[in-house]
């Protein structure tokens, strides 16, 4: 697919397909060409098939936005992992069992997941002036709305991403040093990028979709693409985060909820055996906030259990 520059086409909405090189695995890509020159904002959703809020937010955005009022261009990839979405597959692409957000940078001749990632990094990254990847807690995750930003990207990229994060309706922004995700790989290739998490447990609501739409419009305002930039003055900075995993297979019983403030040493949850023997007690390392935890009763060794953030000022 050739993604046209803004001066080559008239304002309007267009639907197309992004080829991956595999038959039947092209990605839907929707373009909103603005009526005035400006940057290109890339919006992606559906990287994980059971994270629904972003998919619905991009559908609503495409239908309701007025192209003539947009400065620049919006490129929407509303369903990156259609196989996982229609199969209800948690986290992975069913064709090869791999997680797209662990596949960057990818190879041109890899498996289906790698082909999807490669198409995005070669055909979408070069078009982007800013990228926002929309996620939500997967079918097994309860999560408070938050934003991950690329903490160790080149300073100008990191600072531009941070400015964008401060205009999104999420309570917390979390530094990340991830290198293999859709947004984090983009940041390491010079594109300011963020990952926003809204939703969880395989659920969505109209209120969550509306929240994400407001965030997109606010980000557009911050990028001078039209719309009103609304700084989020209540958003809090997470200085560092802890990510506890299961030390062995067992039954997981969380004792906290997302967004809950916790004191250092508090018990976050326990893993027990089927017959009730205590296998693991997870405690928080510092005063902070619960970012997310798994709601699955059965967990495997190495599975993510709970994440907490240490807040600025604590």
């Amino acid at each position: 697919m050739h993604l046209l520059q803004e001066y080559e086409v008239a304002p309007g909405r267009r639907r197309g397909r992004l080829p991956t090189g595999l038959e039947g695995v092209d990605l839907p890509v929707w373009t909103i060409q603005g009526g005035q020159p400006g940057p290109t904002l890339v919006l992606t959703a559906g990287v994980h098939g059971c994270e629904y809020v972003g998919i619905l937010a991009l559908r609503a955005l495409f239908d309701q936005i007025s192209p003539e009022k947009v400065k620049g261009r919006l490129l929407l990839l509303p369903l990156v992992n259609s196989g996982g979405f229609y199969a209800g597959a948690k986290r992975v692409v069913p064709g090869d069992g791999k997680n797209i957000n662990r596949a960057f940078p990818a190879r041109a001749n890899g498996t289906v997941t790698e082909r999807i990632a490669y198409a995005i990094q070669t055909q979408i990254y070069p078009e982007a002036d800013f990228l926002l990847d929309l996620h939500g807690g997967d079918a097994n995750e309860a999560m408070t709305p938050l934003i991950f930003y690329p903490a160790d990207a080149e300073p100008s990229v990191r600072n531009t991403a941070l400015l964008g994060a401060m205009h999104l309706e999420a309570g917390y922004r979390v530094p990340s040093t991830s290198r293999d995700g859709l947004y984090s790989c983009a940041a390491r290739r010079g594109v300011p990028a963020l990952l926003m998490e809204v939703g969880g447990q395989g659920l969505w609501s109209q209120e969550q979709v509306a929240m994400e739409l407001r965030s997109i419009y606010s980000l557009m305002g911050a990028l001078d693409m039209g719309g009103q930039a609304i700084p989020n003055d209540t958003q809090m900075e997470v200085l560092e985060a802890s990510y506890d995993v299961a030390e062995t297979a067992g039954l997981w019983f969380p004792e906290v909820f997302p967004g809950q403030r916790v004191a250092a040493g508090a018990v976050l949850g326990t893993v027990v055996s089927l017959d009730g023997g205590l296998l693991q007690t997870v405690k928080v390392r510092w005063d902070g906030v619960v970012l997310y935890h798994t709601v699955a009763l059965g967990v495997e060794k190495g599975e993510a259990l709970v994440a907490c953030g240490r807040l600025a000022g604590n």
Side-chain angles (χ1 to χ4, degrees):
M1 174 181 181
H2 176 54
L3 298 171
L4 299 175
Q5 299 299 320
E6 63 265 16
Y7 56 80
E8 296 180 271
V9 294
R13 301 177 179 86
R14 295 165 182 83
R15 287 188 172 95
R17 306 292 298 182
L18 188 73
T20 66
L22 292 176
E23 185 176 354
V25 196
D26 292 356
L27 310 184
V29 56
W30 302 344
T31 305
I32 300 168
Q33 182 61 58
Q36 303 175 57
T40 292
L41 172 60
V42 171
L43 300 164
T44 58
V47 166
H48 297 139
C50 298
E51 301 180 7
Y52 301 135
V53 177
I55 298 168
L56 294 175
L58 294 192
R59 287 177 75 247
L61 178 70
F62 186 80
D63 289 341
Q64 74 180 37
I65 199 166
S66 174
E68 293 75 14
K69 295 181 180 179
V70 174
K71 297 179 180 179
R73 179 177 58 164
L74 300 172
L75 290 182
L76 281 55
L77 274 69
L79 189 54
V80 172
N81 178 7
S82 60
F85 174 74
Y86 291 114
K90 181 182 69 176
R91 195 178 296 127
V92 301
V93 176
D96 58 13
K98 294 183 179 180
N99 182 346
I100 294 175
N101 242 19
R102 298 292 182 269
F104 290 85
R107 300 174 297 148
N109 59 348
T111 65
V112 58
T113 297
E114 293 169 308
R115 295 288 189 95
I116 291 170
Y118 187 79
I120 292 170
Q121 75 187 31
T122 57
Q123 299 183 65
I124 298 298
Y125 286 178
E127 303 288 332
D129 294 300
F130 199 104
L131 185 148
L132 176 62
D133 189 21
L134 300 175
H135 284 252
D138 213 317
N140 65 328
E141 294 172 328
M143 178 172 289
T144 192
L146 56 86
I147 302 148
F148 289 104
Y149 70 88
D152 59 353
E154 191 273 329
S156 65
V157 172
R158 181 189 66 241
N159 293 340
T160 301
L162 265 174
L163 178 64
M166 294 175 186
H167 287 80
L168 303 179
E169 264 188 61
Y172 305 96
R173 59 181 181 271
V174 184
S176 173
T177 57
S178 169
R179 295 178 176 272
D180 51 6
L182 191 158
Y183 97 97
S184 56
C185 184
R188 280 166 179 77
R189 296 186 175 212
V191 180
L194 300 167
L195 187 156
M196 186 176 185
E197 301 264 15
V198 179
Q201 302 181 69
L203 302 173
W204 65 275
S205 69
Q206 292 291 357
E207 291 77 12
Q208 291 170 327
V209 173
M211 170 189 172
E212 210 147 70
L213 281 171
R214 290 192 300 268
S215 293
I216 292 169
Y217 282 118
S218 180
L219 176 60
M220 290 176 61
L223 297 174
D224 193 26
M225 297 183 67
Q228 182 181 2
I230 304 175
N232 185 350
D233 296 329
T234 63
Q235 189 179 89
M236 301 190 72
E237 176 83 14
V238 171
L239 298 179
E240 58 181 322
S242 61
Y243 302 93
D244 288 287
V245 301
E247 296 172 354
T248 186
L251 282 65
W252 162 247
F253 293 96
E255 298 187 18
V256 291
F257 56 85
Q260 180 179 339
R261 296 297 182 88
V262 288
V267 174
L268 302 174
T270 56
V271 178
V272 303
S273 63
L274 184 61
D275 59 10
L278 180 63
L279 301 173
Q280 181 181 355
T281 299
V282 181
K283 296 183 179 181
V284 67
R285 306 171 195 175
W286 47 58
D287 294 351
V289 61
V290 178
L291 300 175
Y292 61 84
H293 66 76
T294 183
V295 297
L297 177 61
V299 294
E300 298 177 299
K301 180 179 180 180
E303 185 167 346
L305 297 176
V306 60
C308 290
R310 181 170 71 87
L311 299 173
N314 279 2

